Amino acid sequence: MGVLNVTPDSFSDGGRWASTDAAIAHGVELARQGADIVDVGGESTRPGAERVPVPAELGRVLPVVSELAARGIRVSIDTMNSETAKAAVDAGAQIVNDVSGGLADPAMAPLIAERGVHYVVMHWRGHSDHMNDLATYEDAAHDVRDELLRRVDALEAQGVGAERIIIDPGLGFAKNADHNWDVLHHLREFEAVGLPVLVAASRKRFLGELMPQGASIQDRDLPTAVITALAARDGAWGVRVHDVVSTRIALDVVRSWEKGTAEEARHEKMDR
């Protein structure tokens, strides 16, 4: 899932793709580089970010979603607003990626149930302007998993089919670095839920803490690629990334590794 932020203030690439033409061109490039899905968002969810009015969000994302979908590119819409989600789905988006998991807008779940699109449900405790104050856990991985499962149950009770739900542990959202690493360490426990899992670690602050002083945000693409490989090994459904090229390479390495291991196992069986 390639990230396409049509925003002036996203933490990694805010302003680079703020114009419609630049955003469309970048979305096409992400698909050419190997993104299976282009995730279009018009509201930054970086820590401290303020909300964007729905008309402004619609103005940013709708022309981009419409054009990319018309070109046969699979598009997801990154939004917490049901009005934006509805318009984007009408314009051709096939997935709604909601960082609030339906908590920010009570009209979202009924919309998803009605339209039957795939729905990314992220672990979320509150909006960006105060989410860091909510980063308190007894056991981060266990607590996040349980809260996600309760959210899934609530959505199913509102008519959202389980076969349409993708879960996202919400790295960086109301979580400090230790919480994020604990979630990743226990990723297979999220896989065991039986729902597809999306991992969205790309360029986030906790990766920057591993880098030398003075490293750029783009330098975080290397640890992001490593997380991609490990997440793929652990069975993740998808990864949401800014740098599609390094991600594709990481996934090719995993496939080759697994193929070699499988062939070696077959040879050992034949030798016996």
Side-chain angles (χ1 to χ4, degrees):
M1 181 182 282
V3 177
L4 178 50
N5 291 319
V6 193
T7 60
D9 58 344
S10 291
F11 78 95
S12 171
D13 52 3
R16 293 192 66 187
W17 324 115
S19 76
T20 298
D21 289 345
I24 291 169
H26 187 55
V28 170
E29 178 63 11
L30 290 172
R32 187 196 66 78
Q33 291 172 348
D36 299 297
I37 302 161
V38 174
D39 189 43
V40 181
E43 179 177 11
S44 174
T45 53
R46 60 178 173 76
E50 296 182 359
R51 298 302 311 277
V52 172
V54 170
E57 184 186 28
L58 285 168
R60 293 173 181 177
V61 301
L62 272 189
V64 180
V65 170
S66 180
E67 181 61 26
L68 294 179
R71 297 187 185 208
I73 295 171
R74 192 179 186 197
V75 176
S76 61
I77 178 65
D78 177 3
T79 185
M80 292 181 277
N81 297 309
S82 61
E83 185 178 344
T84 302
K86 179 180 183 299
V89 170
D90 288 345
Q94 299 178 40
I95 301 170
V96 175
N97 180 14
D98 181 357
V99 299
S100 80
L103 290 170
D105 185 345
M108 184 69 87
L111 171 71
I112 300 300
E114 174 192 340
R115 295 305 179 94
V117 293
H118 284 90
Y119 187 45
V120 178
V121 179
M122 197 192 79
H123 175 263
W124 188 81
R125 285 184 166 183
H127 287 291
S128 297
D129 60 353
H130 66 281
M131 66 180 177
N132 287 341
D133 298 330
L134 306 174
T136 303
Y137 301 88
E138 292 291 330
D139 179 328
H142 181 270
D143 293 351
V144 170
R145 179 179 176 273
D146 282 359
E147 289 174 28
L148 262 178
L149 287 175
R150 288 197 294 272
R151 190 71 206 123
V152 169
D153 288 344
L155 290 165
E156 288 188 72
Q158 292 178 278
V160 179
E163 72 280 0
R164 297 292 178 180
I165 294 176
I166 300 155
I167 58 174
D168 176 351
L171 299 172
F173 287 79
K175 298 171 189 70
N176 63 31
D178 288 343
H179 299 146
N180 294 326
W181 289 118
D182 189 53
V183 166
L184 288 170
H185 180 67
H186 292 90
L187 188 61
R188 289 184 179 178
E189 295 178 18
F190 290 84
E191 299 292 339
V193 169
L195 296 170
V197 177
L198 176 67
V199 175
S202 185
R203 297 182 179 177
K204 289 190 174 176
R205 183 179 302 174
F206 76 105
L207 299 181
E209 295 179 9
L210 301 175
M211 309 299 293
Q213 187 174 5
S216 70
I217 287 182
Q218 286 71 29
D219 288 332
R220 301 175 190 177
D221 289 336
L222 176 57
T224 299
V226 175
I227 286 177
T228 289
L230 295 172
R233 183 198 64 181
D234 283 354
W237 167 83
V239 288
R240 182 181 182 274
V241 298
H242 298 83
D243 181 6
V244 170
V245 173
S246 65
T247 300
R248 295 298 338 175
I249 294 170
L251 291 172
D252 287 344
V253 168
V254 173
R255 289 192 186 97
S256 296
W257 184 297
E258 291 179 342
K259 181 179 177 182
T261 301
E263 288 179 349
E264 181 179 345
R266 283 196 296 271
H267 289 316
E268 288 178 354
K269 184 176 180 180
M270 290 174 64
D271 289 342
R272 290 196 299 269

